[in-house]
Short mmCIF file of all heavy atoms in Angstrom, two decimals:
data_model
loop_
_atom_site.label_atom_id
_atom_site.label_comp_id
_atom_site.label_asym_id
_atom_site.label_seq_id
_atom_site.Cartn_x
_atom_site.Cartn_y
_atom_site.Cartn_z
N PRO A 211 23.12 5.76 -4.25
CA PRO A 211 23.28 4.76 -3.19
C PRO A 211 22.35 3.55 -3.37
O PRO A 211 21.34 3.62 -4.08
CB PRO A 211 22.86 5.54 -1.95
CG PRO A 211 21.80 6.47 -2.47
CD PRO A 211 22.23 6.86 -3.86
N ARG A 212 22.73 2.48 -2.74
CA ARG A 212 21.84 1.33 -2.58
C ARG A 212 21.33 1.32 -1.14
O ARG A 212 22.03 1.74 -0.22
CB ARG A 212 22.57 0.02 -2.88
CG ARG A 212 22.89 -0.19 -4.32
CD ARG A 212 23.73 -1.45 -4.51
NE ARG A 212 23.02 -2.67 -4.10
CZ ARG A 212 23.57 -3.88 -4.09
NH1 ARG A 212 24.84 -4.03 -4.44
NH2 ARG A 212 22.86 -4.94 -3.74
N HIS A 213 20.11 0.83 -0.97
CA HIS A 213 19.51 0.72 0.36
C HIS A 213 19.51 -0.77 0.71
O HIS A 213 18.76 -1.55 0.14
CB HIS A 213 18.09 1.28 0.32
CG HIS A 213 17.40 1.30 1.65
ND1 HIS A 213 16.59 2.33 2.04
CD2 HIS A 213 17.41 0.43 2.68
CE1 HIS A 213 16.12 2.08 3.25
NE2 HIS A 213 16.60 0.92 3.65
N ILE A 214 20.37 -1.16 1.64
CA ILE A 214 20.49 -2.56 2.04
C ILE A 214 20.21 -2.65 3.54
O ILE A 214 20.72 -1.85 4.32
CB ILE A 214 21.88 -3.13 1.73
CG1 ILE A 214 22.17 -3.01 0.22
CG2 ILE A 214 22.00 -4.58 2.17
CD1 ILE A 214 23.57 -3.43 -0.17
N GLU A 215 19.40 -3.63 3.92
CA GLU A 215 19.07 -3.78 5.33
C GLU A 215 19.29 -5.23 5.76
O GLU A 215 19.16 -6.16 4.96
CB GLU A 215 17.62 -3.36 5.59
CG GLU A 215 16.61 -4.19 4.82
CD GLU A 215 15.20 -3.64 4.92
OE1 GLU A 215 15.06 -2.41 5.07
OE2 GLU A 215 14.24 -4.43 4.83
N VAL A 216 19.62 -5.40 7.03
CA VAL A 216 19.91 -6.72 7.58
C VAL A 216 18.86 -7.07 8.63
O VAL A 216 18.60 -6.27 9.55
CB VAL A 216 21.32 -6.77 8.20
CG1 VAL A 216 21.57 -8.14 8.83
CG2 VAL A 216 22.38 -6.47 7.15
N GLN A 217 18.27 -8.25 8.48
CA GLN A 217 17.30 -8.74 9.47
C GLN A 217 18.04 -9.32 10.66
O GLN A 217 18.88 -10.21 10.51
CB GLN A 217 16.43 -9.82 8.84
CG GLN A 217 15.42 -10.46 9.80
CD GLN A 217 14.29 -9.51 10.15
OE1 GLN A 217 13.56 -9.09 9.27
NE2 GLN A 217 14.16 -9.18 11.43
N HIS A 228 21.83 -12.71 12.77
CA HIS A 228 21.22 -12.07 11.61
C HIS A 228 20.69 -13.15 10.67
O HIS A 228 21.15 -14.30 10.68
CB HIS A 228 22.23 -11.18 10.88
CG HIS A 228 23.33 -11.92 10.18
ND1 HIS A 228 23.19 -12.47 8.92
CD2 HIS A 228 24.60 -12.20 10.57
CE1 HIS A 228 24.31 -13.06 8.56
NE2 HIS A 228 25.19 -12.92 9.54
N LEU A 229 19.69 -12.78 9.89
CA LEU A 229 19.08 -13.67 8.90
C LEU A 229 19.35 -13.14 7.50
O LEU A 229 18.47 -13.11 6.64
CB LEU A 229 17.58 -13.81 9.16
CG LEU A 229 17.17 -14.28 10.56
CD1 LEU A 229 15.66 -14.38 10.69
CD2 LEU A 229 17.82 -15.61 10.90
N PHE A 230 20.56 -12.67 7.29
CA PHE A 230 21.02 -12.14 6.00
C PHE A 230 20.34 -10.80 5.67
O PHE A 230 19.70 -10.20 6.52
CB PHE A 230 20.84 -13.17 4.89
CG PHE A 230 21.58 -14.44 5.17
CD1 PHE A 230 20.90 -15.61 5.50
CD2 PHE A 230 22.96 -14.47 5.14
CE1 PHE A 230 21.58 -16.78 5.79
CE2 PHE A 230 23.66 -15.65 5.42
CZ PHE A 230 22.97 -16.81 5.75
N GLU A 231 20.51 -10.37 4.44
CA GLU A 231 20.14 -9.00 4.08
C GLU A 231 19.11 -8.96 2.94
O GLU A 231 18.84 -9.95 2.28
CB GLU A 231 21.39 -8.20 3.68
CG GLU A 231 21.90 -8.44 2.27
CD GLU A 231 22.48 -9.81 2.04
OE1 GLU A 231 22.91 -10.47 3.03
OE2 GLU A 231 22.51 -10.25 0.88
N ARG A 232 18.54 -7.76 2.78
CA ARG A 232 17.59 -7.49 1.70
C ARG A 232 18.04 -6.22 0.99
O ARG A 232 18.53 -5.29 1.63
CB ARG A 232 16.17 -7.28 2.26
CG ARG A 232 15.65 -8.42 3.10
CD ARG A 232 14.25 -8.13 3.62
NE ARG A 232 14.23 -7.22 4.75
CZ ARG A 232 13.98 -7.57 6.02
NH1 ARG A 232 13.79 -8.84 6.33
NH2 ARG A 232 13.95 -6.67 6.97
N ASP A 233 17.84 -6.15 -0.31
CA ASP A 233 18.08 -4.91 -1.05
C ASP A 233 16.74 -4.24 -1.29
O ASP A 233 15.81 -4.84 -1.84
CB ASP A 233 18.78 -5.19 -2.39
CG ASP A 233 19.26 -3.91 -3.04
OD1 ASP A 233 18.41 -3.11 -3.48
OD2 ASP A 233 20.49 -3.68 -3.09
N CYS A 234 16.64 -2.99 -0.87
CA CYS A 234 15.39 -2.23 -0.97
C CYS A 234 15.61 -0.93 -1.74
O CYS A 234 15.07 0.12 -1.40
CB CYS A 234 14.86 -1.92 0.43
SG CYS A 234 14.72 -3.36 1.50
N SER A 235 16.42 -1.00 -2.80
CA SER A 235 16.81 0.22 -3.51
C SER A 235 15.74 0.77 -4.44
O SER A 235 15.78 1.95 -4.81
CB SER A 235 18.10 -0.04 -4.31
OG SER A 235 19.16 -0.41 -3.45
N GLU A 246 14.21 -7.30 -2.49
CA GLU A 246 14.67 -8.64 -2.83
C GLU A 246 15.69 -9.13 -1.81
O GLU A 246 16.34 -8.34 -1.12
CB GLU A 246 15.26 -8.68 -4.24
CG GLU A 246 16.44 -7.76 -4.49
CD GLU A 246 16.92 -7.82 -5.94
OE1 GLU A 246 17.38 -8.90 -6.35
OE2 GLU A 246 16.83 -6.79 -6.63
N ALA A 247 15.80 -10.45 -1.73
CA ALA A 247 16.79 -11.08 -0.85
C ALA A 247 17.33 -12.32 -1.55
O ALA A 247 16.57 -13.04 -2.19
CB ALA A 247 16.15 -11.46 0.48
N PRO A 248 18.64 -12.53 -1.44
CA PRO A 248 19.64 -11.66 -0.82
C PRO A 248 19.95 -10.46 -1.72
O PRO A 248 19.49 -10.39 -2.85
CB PRO A 248 20.85 -12.58 -0.68
CG PRO A 248 20.72 -13.53 -1.84
CD PRO A 248 19.25 -13.77 -1.99
N ALA A 249 20.74 -9.52 -1.21
CA ALA A 249 21.15 -8.36 -2.00
C ALA A 249 22.14 -8.79 -3.08
O ALA A 249 23.17 -9.37 -2.75
CB ALA A 249 21.76 -7.29 -1.11
N PRO A 250 21.85 -8.53 -4.35
CA PRO A 250 22.77 -8.95 -5.42
C PRO A 250 24.10 -8.21 -5.34
O PRO A 250 24.19 -7.08 -4.85
CB PRO A 250 22.02 -8.56 -6.70
CG PRO A 250 20.59 -8.42 -6.30
CD PRO A 250 20.62 -7.92 -4.89
N GLY A 251 25.14 -8.88 -5.79
CA GLY A 251 26.43 -8.23 -5.95
C GLY A 251 27.28 -8.16 -4.71
O GLY A 251 28.40 -7.63 -4.76
N LEU A 252 26.81 -8.66 -3.58
CA LEU A 252 27.64 -8.65 -2.37
C LEU A 252 28.57 -9.85 -2.37
O LEU A 252 28.14 -10.98 -2.63
CB LEU A 252 26.77 -8.69 -1.11
CG LEU A 252 25.92 -7.47 -0.76
CD1 LEU A 252 25.32 -7.66 0.63
CD2 LEU A 252 26.72 -6.19 -0.82
N SER A 253 29.81 -9.62 -2.06
CA SER A 253 30.74 -10.74 -1.91
C SER A 253 30.48 -11.42 -0.57
O SER A 253 29.87 -10.82 0.33
CB SER A 253 32.18 -10.23 -1.95
OG SER A 253 32.45 -9.42 -0.81
N PRO A 254 30.92 -12.66 -0.40
CA PRO A 254 30.75 -13.33 0.91
C PRO A 254 31.32 -12.52 2.07
O PRO A 254 30.73 -12.48 3.15
CB PRO A 254 31.49 -14.66 0.72
CG PRO A 254 31.40 -14.92 -0.76
CD PRO A 254 31.50 -13.57 -1.41
N SER A 255 32.45 -11.85 1.83
CA SER A 255 33.05 -11.07 2.92
C SER A 255 32.21 -9.83 3.24
O SER A 255 32.05 -9.47 4.41
CB SER A 255 34.48 -10.65 2.55
OG SER A 255 34.49 -9.84 1.38
N GLN A 256 31.67 -9.17 2.21
CA GLN A 256 30.80 -8.02 2.44
C GLN A 256 29.55 -8.44 3.20
O GLN A 256 29.10 -7.74 4.12
CB GLN A 256 30.41 -7.37 1.11
CG GLN A 256 31.51 -6.58 0.43
CD GLN A 256 31.06 -6.05 -0.92
OE1 GLN A 256 30.55 -6.79 -1.76
NE2 GLN A 256 31.23 -4.76 -1.12
N ARG A 257 28.97 -9.57 2.79
CA ARG A 257 27.77 -10.06 3.46
C ARG A 257 28.07 -10.36 4.93
O ARG A 257 27.30 -10.01 5.83
CB ARG A 257 27.27 -11.31 2.74
CG ARG A 257 26.04 -11.97 3.39
CD ARG A 257 25.37 -12.97 2.45
NE ARG A 257 24.67 -12.26 1.39
CZ ARG A 257 24.92 -12.43 0.09
NH1 ARG A 257 25.86 -13.29 -0.30
NH2 ARG A 257 24.25 -11.74 -0.81
N ALA A 258 29.20 -11.00 5.19
CA ALA A 258 29.58 -11.33 6.57
C ALA A 258 29.83 -10.06 7.38
O ALA A 258 29.42 -9.96 8.55
CB ALA A 258 30.81 -12.22 6.57
N ASP A 259 30.51 -9.07 6.77
CA ASP A 259 30.81 -7.82 7.48
C ASP A 259 29.52 -7.08 7.85
O ASP A 259 29.37 -6.59 8.97
CB ASP A 259 31.69 -6.91 6.62
CG ASP A 259 33.12 -7.43 6.50
OD1 ASP A 259 33.47 -8.35 7.27
OD2 ASP A 259 33.85 -6.92 5.62
N MET A 260 28.61 -6.97 6.89
CA MET A 260 27.38 -6.25 7.13
C MET A 260 26.54 -6.95 8.20
O MET A 260 25.95 -6.30 9.08
CB MET A 260 26.59 -6.12 5.81
CG MET A 260 25.56 -5.01 5.82
SD MET A 260 24.81 -4.74 4.18
CE MET A 260 26.14 -3.85 3.36
N GLY A 261 26.49 -8.28 8.14
CA GLY A 261 25.75 -9.02 9.15
C GLY A 261 26.35 -8.86 10.53
O GLY A 261 25.63 -8.68 11.53
N ALA A 262 27.68 -8.88 10.62
CA ALA A 262 28.34 -8.73 11.91
C ALA A 262 28.11 -7.35 12.50
O ALA A 262 27.88 -7.21 13.71
CB ALA A 262 29.84 -8.99 11.74
N ALA A 264 25.52 -5.45 11.92
CA ALA A 264 24.12 -5.38 12.33
C ALA A 264 23.91 -6.06 13.68
O ALA A 264 23.19 -5.54 14.55
CB ALA A 264 23.24 -6.04 11.27
N VAL A 279 18.39 -3.56 10.75
CA VAL A 279 19.42 -2.53 10.72
C VAL A 279 19.60 -2.12 9.26
O VAL A 279 19.93 -2.95 8.41
CB VAL A 279 20.75 -3.04 11.31
CG1 VAL A 279 21.80 -1.94 11.29
CG2 VAL A 279 20.54 -3.55 12.73
N PHE A 281 21.18 0.05 6.13
CA PHE A 281 22.43 0.66 5.68
C PHE A 281 22.21 1.33 4.33
O PHE A 281 21.35 0.93 3.54
CB PHE A 281 23.52 -0.40 5.51
CG PHE A 281 23.89 -1.12 6.77
CD1 PHE A 281 23.37 -2.37 7.05
CD2 PHE A 281 24.76 -0.55 7.69
CE1 PHE A 281 23.71 -3.05 8.21
CE2 PHE A 281 25.10 -1.21 8.86
CZ PHE A 281 24.58 -2.46 9.12
N ILE A 282 23.00 2.34 4.08
CA ILE A 282 23.07 2.93 2.75
C ILE A 282 24.47 2.62 2.23
O ILE A 282 25.46 2.78 2.95
CB ILE A 282 22.77 4.44 2.80
CG1 ILE A 282 22.49 4.98 1.41
CG2 ILE A 282 23.84 5.22 3.52
CD1 ILE A 282 21.80 6.33 1.42
N ALA A 283 24.53 2.13 1.00
CA ALA A 283 25.81 1.65 0.46
C ALA A 283 26.11 2.32 -0.87
O ALA A 283 25.21 2.54 -1.68
CB ALA A 283 25.77 0.13 0.28
N GLU A 284 27.36 2.65 -1.08
CA GLU A 284 27.79 3.22 -2.35
C GLU A 284 29.20 2.70 -2.63
O GLU A 284 30.06 2.75 -1.76
CB GLU A 284 27.78 4.75 -2.29
CG GLU A 284 27.88 5.40 -3.66
CD GLU A 284 27.62 6.90 -3.60
OE1 GLU A 284 28.23 7.58 -2.75
OE2 GLU A 284 26.81 7.39 -4.40
N ASP A 285 29.37 2.21 -3.85
CA ASP A 285 30.63 1.56 -4.21
C ASP A 285 30.86 0.37 -3.26
O ASP A 285 30.00 -0.46 -3.10
CB ASP A 285 31.79 2.56 -4.19
CG ASP A 285 31.55 3.70 -5.18
OD1 ASP A 285 30.99 3.44 -6.25
OD2 ASP A 285 31.91 4.84 -4.85
N GLU A 286 32.01 0.33 -2.61
CA GLU A 286 32.31 -0.80 -1.73
C GLU A 286 32.04 -0.49 -0.26
O GLU A 286 32.26 -1.34 0.61
CB GLU A 286 33.79 -1.20 -1.89
CG GLU A 286 34.16 -1.64 -3.29
CD GLU A 286 33.41 -2.88 -3.72
OE1 GLU A 286 33.33 -3.84 -2.92
OE2 GLU A 286 32.89 -2.90 -4.86
N ARG A 287 31.54 0.71 0.04
CA ARG A 287 31.37 1.12 1.43
C ARG A 287 29.90 1.12 1.82
O ARG A 287 29.02 1.34 1.00
CB ARG A 287 31.97 2.50 1.65
CG ARG A 287 33.44 2.61 1.25
CD ARG A 287 34.05 3.92 1.69
NE ARG A 287 34.13 4.00 3.15
CZ ARG A 287 34.57 5.06 3.81
NH1 ARG A 287 34.97 6.13 3.16
NH2 ARG A 287 34.61 5.07 5.12
N PHE A 288 29.64 0.86 3.11
CA PHE A 288 28.27 0.94 3.61
C PHE A 288 28.27 1.70 4.93
O PHE A 288 29.24 1.71 5.67
CB PHE A 288 27.66 -0.46 3.78
CG PHE A 288 28.32 -1.34 4.80
CD1 PHE A 288 27.90 -1.32 6.13
CD2 PHE A 288 29.35 -2.20 4.44
CE1 PHE A 288 28.50 -2.13 7.07
CE2 PHE A 288 29.95 -3.02 5.37
CZ PHE A 288 29.54 -2.99 6.70
N TYR A 289 27.12 2.39 5.19
CA TYR A 289 26.99 3.25 6.37
C TYR A 289 25.67 2.95 7.08
O TYR A 289 24.65 2.71 6.44
CB TYR A 289 26.99 4.73 5.97
CG TYR A 289 28.14 5.16 5.10
CD1 TYR A 289 28.00 5.16 3.71
CD2 TYR A 289 29.35 5.57 5.65
CE1 TYR A 289 29.05 5.57 2.90
CE2 TYR A 289 30.40 5.98 4.83
CZ TYR A 289 30.24 5.98 3.46
OH TYR A 289 31.27 6.37 2.64
N LEU A 334 20.99 -19.62 3.20
CA LEU A 334 20.30 -18.94 2.11
C LEU A 334 19.86 -19.95 1.06
O LEU A 334 20.65 -20.78 0.60
CB LEU A 334 21.23 -17.90 1.45
CG LEU A 334 21.27 -16.51 2.06
CD1 LEU A 334 22.35 -15.68 1.38
CD2 LEU A 334 19.92 -15.81 1.93
N HIS A 337 16.41 -17.13 -4.31
CA HIS A 337 16.22 -15.68 -4.37
C HIS A 337 14.73 -15.36 -4.28
O HIS A 337 13.89 -16.15 -4.73
CB HIS A 337 16.78 -15.14 -5.69
CG HIS A 337 17.19 -13.70 -5.62
ND1 HIS A 337 18.47 -13.30 -5.30
CD2 HIS A 337 16.48 -12.56 -5.81
CE1 HIS A 337 18.53 -11.97 -5.31
NE2 HIS A 337 17.33 -11.51 -5.62
N ARG A 401 18.17 -15.51 -9.09
CA ARG A 401 17.52 -14.22 -9.29
C ARG A 401 16.73 -14.18 -10.59
O ARG A 401 15.61 -13.65 -10.64
CB ARG A 401 18.56 -13.09 -9.27
CG ARG A 401 17.94 -11.70 -9.27
CD ARG A 401 18.99 -10.60 -9.09
NE ARG A 401 18.35 -9.31 -8.88
CZ ARG A 401 18.00 -8.47 -9.86
NH1 ARG A 401 18.25 -8.80 -11.13
NH2 ARG A 401 17.42 -7.33 -9.59
N ALA A 438 19.63 -6.75 -15.08
CA ALA A 438 21.09 -6.73 -14.97
C ALA A 438 21.56 -6.16 -13.63
O ALA A 438 22.75 -6.04 -13.39
CB ALA A 438 21.67 -5.91 -16.11
N PHE A 439 20.62 -5.79 -12.77
CA PHE A 439 20.84 -5.17 -11.48
C PHE A 439 21.73 -3.93 -11.59
O PHE A 439 22.71 -3.75 -10.87
CB PHE A 439 21.42 -6.12 -10.43
CG PHE A 439 21.21 -5.58 -9.04
CD1 PHE A 439 19.94 -5.55 -8.49
CD2 PHE A 439 22.25 -5.05 -8.32
CE1 PHE A 439 19.73 -5.00 -7.23
CE2 PHE A 439 22.05 -4.49 -7.05
CZ PHE A 439 20.78 -4.48 -6.51
N VAL A 441 21.10 -0.96 -10.41
CA VAL A 441 20.06 -0.46 -9.51
C VAL A 441 20.66 0.40 -8.41
O VAL A 441 21.70 0.09 -7.85
CB VAL A 441 19.28 -1.64 -8.89
CG1 VAL A 441 18.37 -1.16 -7.77
CG2 VAL A 441 18.47 -2.36 -9.95
#
Side-chain angles (χ1 to χ4, degrees):
R212 289 174 63 184
H213 184 141
I214 301 175
E215 61 189 29
V216 177
Q217 177 72 61
H228 69 83
L229 304 180
F230 301 109
E231 80 291 337
R232 304 179 283 253
D233 191 291
C234 308
S235 299
E246 59 183 296
L252 290 189
S253 67
S255 61
Q256 286 176 308
R257 177 165 287 121
D259 288 347
M260 200 172 284
V279 181
F281 298 99
I282 195 163
E284 194 170 49
D285 300 324
E286 299 298 314
R287 304 189 67 183
F288 64 90
Y289 308 94
L334 273 174
H337 205 92
R401 188 174 189 271
F439 199 71
V441 170

